[in-house]
Amino acid sequence: MENLLEKLLEAIELGKVDKKSPYPPQLKDQDGAYELAGKALELGYKPNEILEKALIPAMANVGDRFSRKEIYVPQMLMSAKAMGGAMIHLKPFFQSGETKRKGTFIIGTVNGDLHDIGKNLVAMMVEGGGWEVIDLGVDVGPEKFIKAIEEKPDAVIGLSALLTTTMENMKKIVAEIKAKYKGSKILIGGAPVTLEYCNKIGADFYSPDPQGAVNYLNQLSR
Ligand code: B12
């Protein structure tokens, strides 16, 4: 039944949100990402497996096709919507953490950047890991982060960036937070971000995926 995950991958790559969605025309009246993700869960696939074998590789393919100029922003947007359709089913699994919170995690996508799929995944999984999550959204500058930290001075901060251009804004945000809150812990992530960059800008931790963030936070709360 690996075929189902392949179908889901294809639905996301082609931007087929759900059965009633008219786009793309060649998949008219066929199941979309919403239905296929629901079926995959019914058949016993684990939420993580669905994420790692279908959703994430689909978005990686979309990125590659965009780089090769085979698709453009509107198609990328449809794929993001399709991913959202699949996430409707997966979200409750990632969010069902313990009720007693281990601490607070403030996350946002840095200023200039509107990508939020990866950030949302990190937020969901950290919440599922037992943390209170304050999601500041996208296009978040240093002031908004500082304001949120003022209200929760012990919070751990997470920054996400998907563009090489906006990645540079992480440096300023880290510097401003560290100047005001010396003991604060900041972790960073997003496709162009690396451990080397993390060390260079004085952030505390880098993880290429949400699980790494959860592990880091849990180790802090011990
Ligand atoms: C979907 C998408 C869009 C959608 C975003 C919709 C949305 N709601 O997010 C739309 C269409 C709006 C879009 C717009 C643009 N995009 Co775009 N987009 C993508 C695409 C295809 C997928 C991104 C994604 O969601 N991936 C899936 C998620 C799950 O992965 P992720 O974000 O990397 O997150 C994972 C990890 O990085 C990590 N993580 C993420 N954040 C954090 C944070 C922490 C703290 C931690 C620990 C971990 C972590 O965990 C996540 C799960 O594993 C990528 C291609 C790619 N390969 O990344 C291009 C891509 C990022 N986009 C790109 C570009 C150029 C643009 C535009 C400039 C296009 C344009 N000409 O307008 C605009 C910019 C708009 C803006 N100001 O932000 C380029 C960036 C190139 C570069 N090097 O800078 C890419 C790489 C495509 C490409 N190959 O050229 N995009």
Side-chain angles (χ1 to χ4, degrees):
M1 258 301 170
E2 288 294 316
N3 200 5
L4 183 63
L5 293 190
E6 276 165 29
K7 269 187 146 174
L8 176 57
L9 192 154
E10 190 190 42
I12 293 176
E13 198 174 326
L14 297 178
K16 176 78 177 168
V17 182
D18 55 20
K19 195 165 186 163
K20 62 179 193 313
S21 159
Y23 180 86
Q26 72 268 32
L27 295 182
K28 193 170 180 278
D29 296 330
Q30 292 189 32
D31 281 345
Y34 175 78
E35 290 83 10
L36 292 167
K39 283 184 183 165
L41 283 171
E42 271 169 34
L43 283 173
Y45 285 104
K46 298 270 173 292
N48 253 326
E49 193 181 1
I50 300 173
L51 187 69
E52 280 161 23
K53 290 193 177 161
L55 275 55
I56 291 183
M59 294 311 281
N61 291 353
V62 170
D64 291 343
R65 293 176 65 207
F66 180 78
S67 298
R68 295 198 296 268
K69 297 196 166 51
E70 290 168 12
I71 58 167
Y72 298 93
V73 173
Q75 284 104 322
M76 226 172 16
L77 208 47
M78 287 313 290
S79 293
K81 257 186 122 173
M83 170 121 179
M87 283 311 295
I88 293 173
H89 294 287
L90 302 189
K91 210 170 167 176
F93 292 92
F94 296 131
Q95 287 179 322
S96 58
E98 306 149 31
T99 38
K100 190 179 172 300
R101 302 307 175 122
K102 295 173 182 164
T104 303
F105 180 59
I106 297 173
I107 188 165
T109 301
V110 302
N111 35 345
D113 196 336
L114 303 176
H115 294 86
D116 67 357
I117 297 175
K119 167 194 66 70
N120 293 347
L121 272 173
V122 174
M124 269 177 231
M125 296 206 186
V126 168
E127 197 176 356
W131 288 70
E132 176 197 17
V133 172
I134 298 176
D135 186 345
L136 300 178
V138 295
D139 194 16
V140 186
E143 307 78 20
K144 200 166 169 187
F145 277 106
I146 302 270
K147 198 162 173 275
I149 303 167
E150 269 163 16
E151 285 165 29
K152 296 272 184 185
D154 295 329
V156 182
I157 325 300
L159 310 179
S160 177
L162 262 285
L163 301 169
T164 38
T165 43
T166 59
M167 184 175 122
E168 290 303 313
N169 294 338
M170 282 181 157
K171 187 176 172 185
K172 193 161 180 252
I173 297 171
V174 169
E176 290 202 22
I177 294 175
K178 292 278 181 187
K180 272 203 142 178
Y181 296 91
K182 270 199 174 51
S184 61
K185 294 283 181 214
I186 307 176
L187 65 147
I188 64 171
V193 180
T194 59
L195 176 63
E196 193 191 355
Y197 185 68
C198 169
N199 294 335
K200 188 176 144 198
I201 66 169
D204 297 282
F205 190 74
Y206 157 76
S207 169
D209 51 50
Q211 196 51 47
V214 174
N215 296 345
Y216 173 72
L217 289 169
N218 285 346
Q219 161 242 308
L220 284 181
S221 75
R222 245 187 253 137

